[in-house]
Amino acid sequence: EVQLLESGGDLVQPGGSLRLSCAASGFSLSSYAVSWVRQAPGKGLEWVSTFSGSGGSTYYADSVKGRFAISTDHSKNTLYLQMNSLRAEDTAVYYCAKGTVAAAALGWFDPWGQGTLVTVSS
Amino acid sequence: QSVLTQPPSASGTPGQRVTISCFGSSSNIGSNTVNWYQQLPGTAPKLLIYNDNQRPSGVPDRFSGSKSGTSASLAISGLQSEDEADYYCAAWDDSLNGWVFGGGTKLTVL
C-alpha cells in the first residue's frame, strides 16, 4: 500500500527555518514525482514545490522561490522541504502528494499524506 | 487570487444534479489535463477525477468530469449528504512551470 507520512511541523518565529519530512512507503521516490501542497487556515490548496522522479528536477511556486528547497534521500525514501526566511503567510498545513509518473508536469496527485501544521508567529 | 477560477459555493438537495465550473487559460486547462480533488471536512484532499474525465477505482459513477477549451466542469448527480465537501480543480501551467489550483468550491447539501 502506498503511504505518505509528513512530520516536522511546528511553531516558528518569523524569519526562522524549519525542515519538513515526508516518509514514503509502497513505492520508490526515484520513480515518481512528489510534491508539497499547502493549505492556509480556512483557505484553499496552494501548490508549493515538486521534485521529479527522473533526473531530480525541482519546481517552485513564485511565493516560495529562493526561500524553500525540496530534496530527497533515496536511502530513506524520504522527501524533504527546507523552509527558510519564514513569513506569517507561510502558516499552513503542508501536505505531500505522490505523482503518477516521474515527470513533474504530468499525472495527478494520489495519494496525499495527512499533513503537518506549520505556524509562523512571534 | 487563484489562477483557476471556481465558484466559491454550490448547493443542491439530495438527488439533484450539481455542476462546478473551473475556468483557466491556454497555458493550463487549454493545453493540459484537469484533475479534481475532493476534501471532506477535516481530512486531506483525495483524487476524484483525473485526465479530465477519468474516475479512480472506488469513486462512484455519480461523479463525472468534462473539459472544453479553457474550462472544465465537475458534475455530481444523485446528490448525497456525504458529498458535502470542498472541491478543487488543478492543472499544470506551462507559463508558470508549476501546478495551479482553483480556489475551491464548497458544496452544501441542503
Side-chain angles (χ1 to χ4, degrees), chain A residues 35 37 39 43-47 50 59-60 62 65 95 104-115, chain B residues 32-33 35 37 39 43-47 50-51 56 86 88 90 92 94 96-103:
Chain A
S35 300
V37 178
Q39 186 170 36
K43 302 297 184 183
L45 301 175
E46 179 190 16
W47 171 76
T50 297
Y59 305 81
Y60 298 95
D62 287 343
K65 204 170 292 183
Y95 297 100
L106 301 175
W108 46 92
F109 301 139
D110 183 46
W112 298 57
Q114 88 292 343
Chain B
N32 297 296
T33 57
N35 306 313
Y37 301 93
Q39 187 175 32
T43 68
K46 186 190 87 167
L47 178 69
Y50 65 94
N51 279 356
D86 293 324
Y88 296 90
W92 179 265
D94 293 332
L96 297 175
N97 213 27
W99 289 94
V100 291
F101 282 90

Side-chain angles (χ1 to χ4, degrees), chain A residues 36-48 63-64 68 83 87-95 112 115-120, chain B residues 1-2 39 42-43 45 86 88 101-104:
Chain A
W36 289 98
V37 178
R38 68 184 180 184
Q39 186 170 36
K43 302 297 184 183
L45 301 175
E46 179 190 16
W47 171 76
V48 173
S63 58
V64 306
F68 290 11
M83 304 185 296
R87 307 165 180 166
E89 53 264 37
D90 295 319
T91 294
V93 173
Y94 284 73
Y95 297 100
W112 298 57
T116 187
L117 176 62
V118 173
T119 303
V120 183
Chain B
Q1 198 79 332
S2 301
Q39 187 175 32
T43 68
D86 293 324
Y88 296 90
F101 282 90

Side-chain angles (χ1 to χ4, degrees), chain B residues 27-100:
Chain B
S27 63
N28 41 67
I29 294 178
S31 52
N32 297 296
T33 57
V34 176
N35 306 313
W36 290 88
Y37 301 93
Q38 177 193 57
Q39 187 175 32
L40 297 169
T43 68
K46 186 190 87 167
L47 178 69
L48 189 66
I49 297 286
Y50 65 94
N51 279 356
D52 299 337
N53 55 20
Q54 302 299 301
R55 279 188 312 277
S57 59
V59 172
D61 59 6
R62 302 185 295 105
F63 294 90
S64 62
S66 63
K67 188 178 86 171
S68 178
T70 59
S71 67
S73 290
L74 172 70
I76 309 171
S77 60
L79 201 60
Q80 299 181 4
S81 58
E82 55 261 40
D83 299 334
E84 202 161 89
D86 293 324
Y87 293 85
Y88 296 90
C89 58
W92 179 265
D93 191 294
D94 293 332
S95 295
L96 297 175
N97 213 27
W99 289 94
V100 291

Side-chain angles (χ1 to χ4, degrees), chain A residues 14-104:
Chain A
S17 298
L18 201 61
R19 189 179 79 159
L20 305 182
S21 300
C22 172
S25 58
F27 72 101
S28 172
L29 284 181
S30 61
S31 299
Y32 296 92
V34 193
S35 300
W36 289 98
V37 178
R38 68 184 180 184
Q39 186 170 36
K43 302 297 184 183
L45 301 175
E46 179 190 16
W47 171 76
V48 173
S49 181
T50 297
F51 194 99
S52 71
S54 56
S57 297
T58 58
Y59 305 81
Y60 298 95
D62 287 343
S63 58
V64 306
K65 204 170 292 183
R67 299 188 300 123
F68 290 11
I70 192 171
S71 63
T72 60
D73 183 335
H74 293 308
S75 68
K76 296 181 179 179
N77 213 34
T78 298
L79 176 75
Y80 300 101
L81 186 68
Q82 178 66 44
M83 304 185 296
N84 300 325
S85 303
L86 282 162
R87 307 165 180 166
E89 53 264 37
D90 295 319
T91 294
V93 173
Y94 284 73
Y95 297 100
C96 64
K98 173 185 170 291
T100 50
V101 294

